Amino acid sequence: PTAHAQLLSRLLRYQERHLELKSPISDSDFSQAIARVESLTSPSYRQLTHTDLHPRSLLDGEKGVVAIDPMPAIGHWSYDAACFAAKHDSMFTAERVALLCEQWPEEAAYIEPLSRAIAVEEAAASWLYNIHEDQERYDRLLRWARVT
């Protein structure tokens, strides 16, 4: 499966679960994230992507950084960049995305909206599985994700 297809599947699944459980993440948050992903055209270069890149999935190995615990898919490296930006400390999500877009301006139109959709996914998973107890973490991610 492609990275886009996996993200869409997770967002749809989380949307259904959150509606059932009456979570603080609104249906419109999910709808906006899904629409963003559906409207994006993935950069044409296809390779194996991690699709769940975050600081806890990176280890310092003998030959450099090693990514573990992947949910592999076919995509573009900038998918993992967007994922890393959105799944790190939510206090600095906007700054990380801005730095990535500045570093790779040719990918900015992909990284920025995709990272907003991934931020909704991250907030949804964190709330659903009680990964983070800090409500402000979800709120920061969602405030950033809602910006159009």
Side-chain angles (χ1 to χ4, degrees):
T2 67
H4 274 107
Q6 283 188 1
L7 178 58
L8 281 171
S9 174
R10 289 190 304 270
L11 284 167
L12 290 165
R13 199 170 54 244
Y14 288 146
Q15 182 179 32
E16 186 176 305
R17 293 285 311 278
H18 280 260
L19 286 172
E20 293 169 4
L21 299 173
K22 296 180 177 41
S23 85
I25 304 168
S26 73
D27 190 47
S28 64
D29 290 325
F30 287 105
S31 296
Q32 184 180 43
I34 290 164
R36 279 190 169 125
V37 176
E38 288 176 335
S39 71
L40 287 173
T41 303
S42 179
S44 61
Y45 186 70
R46 302 268 186 218
Q47 61 193 32
L48 190 62
T49 57
H50 188 281
T51 76
D52 189 31
L53 199 59
H54 55 82
R56 295 177 311 275
S57 66
L58 299 175
L59 300 176
D60 186 12
E62 289 180 19
K63 296 181 180 180
V65 177
V66 177
I68 62 166
D69 193 27
M71 295 188 305
I74 300 300
H76 188 267
W77 65 265
S78 57
Y79 183 99
D80 283 337
C83 193
F84 185 80
K87 291 189 174 202
H88 203 302
D89 180 359
S90 63
M91 182 85 69
F92 303 106
T93 301
E95 291 85 352
R96 272 191 310 282
V97 172
L99 285 171
L100 289 170
C101 291
E102 183 180 306
Q103 181 69 33
W104 294 290
E106 66 280 3
E107 307 300 344
Y110 179 73
I111 291 172
E112 192 271 335
L114 183 64
S115 61
R116 290 185 191 278
I118 292 170
V120 172
E121 177 205 16
E122 177 67 5
S126 295
W127 185 87
L128 187 62
Y129 300 114
N130 201 24
I131 295 170
H132 304 286
E133 294 179 13
D134 179 13
Q135 179 67 38
E136 181 59 25
R137 177 179 169 76
Y138 313 128
D139 292 341
R140 279 192 305 265
L141 280 169
L142 291 172
R143 277 192 305 271
W144 185 77
R146 289 174 181 142
V147 174
T148 56

